[in-house]
Amino acid sequence: MKLTVIGCSGSVPGPDSAASSYLVTAEGFHLILDLGSGSLGSLQRHLAVSEIGAVGLSHLHPDHCMDLCGLYVAAKYAPGAPIPRIPVFGPRGTAGRMALAYDLPTNPGMEEELEFHAWQEVQTIGPFTVRTAPMVHPVPAYAIRVEHGNKSLVYTGDTGPNDALVDLARGADLLLSEAALPDNDPRNPTNLHLTPADAGEQAKKAGVSRLVITHVPPWYDRATQAEHARRTYPGPVEIATPHAVFDI
């Protein structure tokens, strides 16, 4: 199983990265986790739209889902279109929300090009077993665990600290964790995002093998956020950067 970072900028696209999007590949199948603002262009450096096996959306904030609008256009109008419907997994109401984003009538919305499914606790997507758990965020949001053979990665999506994340990440080979807030800032909102210390603590409690810090807004420094995570997590801490590849 291979993880490729497509976009890792937190909350908004940054000067060197699109917003959140991650490509998980095994057995020639390509699963995209989130498709945030600006990510569809970066994704096409790695594969064609017609090669996308499925998309999984952690939640429906624009920095995690808005380039689904571009995917709809490409699937409908690009040379070679129409292509087989691309499965899209997300919170309930994703189809209606994305139709609204593109000012489409909800029937059919994007459903002639994209095949929408609401997240279940467990589902099979291509060669992967994918498990989800609701997270702590102002909108319905999910952490996502992708398993292939005896390997696993967990993506936090956006969340505040919570035990459900620790349970979902238990024993994972890699935890891809947001760290959008600075440590020890009294202005930090609650139940919104993780600090580096939070990310490290969750990784330590879950007993994961590696921690990769992502979703750092462009007004903070990625290296600093990763360094601070090392204060609470004793294992390897790495930094998500655009087009970085992690073998799992």
Side-chain angles (χ1 to χ4, degrees):
M1 185 160 57
K2 181 173 72 173
L3 168 67
T4 303
V5 178
I6 303 302
C8 57
S9 183
S11 301
V12 298
D16 68 343
S17 177
S20 294
S21 187
Y22 308 92
L23 168 61
V24 184
T25 303
E27 298 182 26
F29 186 91
H30 303 291
L31 170 63
I32 313 300
L33 300 180
D34 282 343
L35 201 58
S37 310
S39 63
L40 184 62
S42 296
L43 176 63
Q44 291 173 83
R45 291 178 58 175
H46 299 272
L47 72 163
V49 166
S50 60
E51 296 177 294
I52 297 172
V55 177
L57 301 177
S58 64
H59 65 294
L60 299 181
H61 279 155
D63 60 315
H64 293 259
C65 73
M66 197 49 66
D67 267 26
L68 208 68
C69 291
L71 180 61
Y72 155 75
V73 171
K76 187 175 182 70
Y77 295 112
I83 61 175
R85 293 169 74 204
I86 299 171
V88 177
F89 295 79
R92 292 191 183 280
T94 295
R97 173 66 181 275
M98 298 315 301
L100 180 64
Y102 205 77
D103 198 23
L104 296 170
T106 54
N107 186 13
M110 299 181 179
E111 297 198 62
E112 292 179 347
E113 295 73 29
L114 308 176
E115 180 183 308
F116 290 92
H117 304 269
W119 282 125
Q120 306 298 315
E121 186 175 346
V122 184
Q123 48 265 296
T124 299
I125 305 176
F128 303 113
T129 298
V130 180
R131 307 179 190 275
T132 65
M135 292 291 102
V136 178
H137 204 55
V139 299
Y142 294 83
I144 302 167
R145 181 181 180 117
V146 182
E147 301 172 346
H148 180 258
N150 63 350
K151 299 295 184 179
S152 59
L153 72 89
V154 174
Y155 169 46
T156 64
D158 285 3
T159 185
N162 67 94
D163 290 340
L165 175 57
V166 174
D167 290 341
L168 187 71
R170 189 85 58 192
D173 294 283
L174 186 150
L175 176 62
L176 179 64
S177 177
E178 68 123 301
L181 298 176
D183 282 331
N184 302 316
D185 188 333
R187 299 170 296 178
N188 285 346
T190 57
N191 296 333
L192 183 65
H193 287 298
L194 300 174
T195 67
D198 293 332
E201 287 170 0
Q202 304 272 274
K204 182 179 179 180
K205 289 177 181 177
V208 304
S209 298
R210 302 161 71 186
L211 173 62
V212 177
I213 294 297
T214 193
H215 197 277
V216 177
W219 44 86
Y220 298 130
D221 179 68
R222 293 185 193 120
T224 298
Q225 296 294 86
E227 182 59 36
H228 287 184
R230 294 186 179 100
R231 298 174 179 175
T232 53
Y233 175 66
V237 178
E238 299 163 271
I239 305 170
T241 56
H243 311 292
V245 177
F246 300 89
D247 290 315
I248 303 169

